[in-house]
Amino acid sequence: MKRDSFAIKRTATGLGLFTLRPIKKGQRIIEYIGAIITNEEADRRGGKYLFELDEKRSIDGHARSNTARYINHSCRPNAEGLTTGNRIWIWALRDIKVGEELTLNYGKEYLDMHIKRCMCAKCVTARKKKRASKKSSSKSKRKSAAAGV
């Protein structure tokens, strides 16, 4: 897709990449670009924009010219990154509507190292339900205690 097919917008987690055109399931969306470095160099540099190519190399996508760097994490992603030789392409896992944010599953290691607490819609909803359940459970306990049960 062309670069003008996307918009970078503010999200709950910072900046995100949104599509301005519909994307069909299985369609190639965008390339994750940057310098190819060894994984040893990637470990030395650190940072949030490293995308592993294979067991020996990674792409350092920190440059703002790498539009794909704005794709945020989701535990229920609508896209995935697939390696082809020295390139990483982002592909649609399902149909994606106009205006929808593009998301990838970054994996547990990345989450533990950089994000700590997932803010994707699935996880935020699950935490809200858990809190609501705890509140209603404690209210029931208080009512039972007050009634002498």
Side-chain angles (χ1 to χ4, degrees), residues 28-123:
R28 187 170 72 181
I29 303 171
I30 191 169
E31 183 178 6
Y32 194 91
I33 61 171
I36 296 174
I37 59 174
T38 65
N39 286 342
E40 186 178 276
E41 176 65 14
D43 290 341
R44 190 186 67 72
R45 287 184 190 184
K48 297 181 187 179
Y49 301 106
L50 299 167
F51 205 130
E52 192 173 279
L53 269 171
D54 56 36
E55 61 280 344
K56 294 182 180 181
R57 303 169 304 147
S58 293
I59 292 180
D60 182 351
H62 78 275
R64 288 205 168 106
S65 59
N66 176 26
T67 305
R69 83 183 214 140
Y70 296 102
I71 300 174
N72 284 320
H73 165 79
S74 174
C75 293
R76 286 193 183 149
N78 55 21
E80 67 179 335
L82 298 175
T83 302
T84 305
N86 291 332
R87 302 171 94 174
I88 297 173
W89 291 97
I90 309 302
W91 293 81
L93 289 171
R94 61 171 174 75
D95 288 348
I96 304 170
K97 299 173 190 161
V98 172
E100 193 172 342
E101 182 178 9
L102 298 174
T103 58
L104 297 168
N105 186 337
Y106 290 180
K108 183 173 175 22
E109 184 179 336
Y110 185 94
L111 288 174
D112 290 346
M113 187 178 295
H114 295 286
I115 297 177
K116 310 293 186 224
R117 186 173 187 187
C118 182
M119 295 301 293
C120 77
K122 175 188 171 197
C123 292

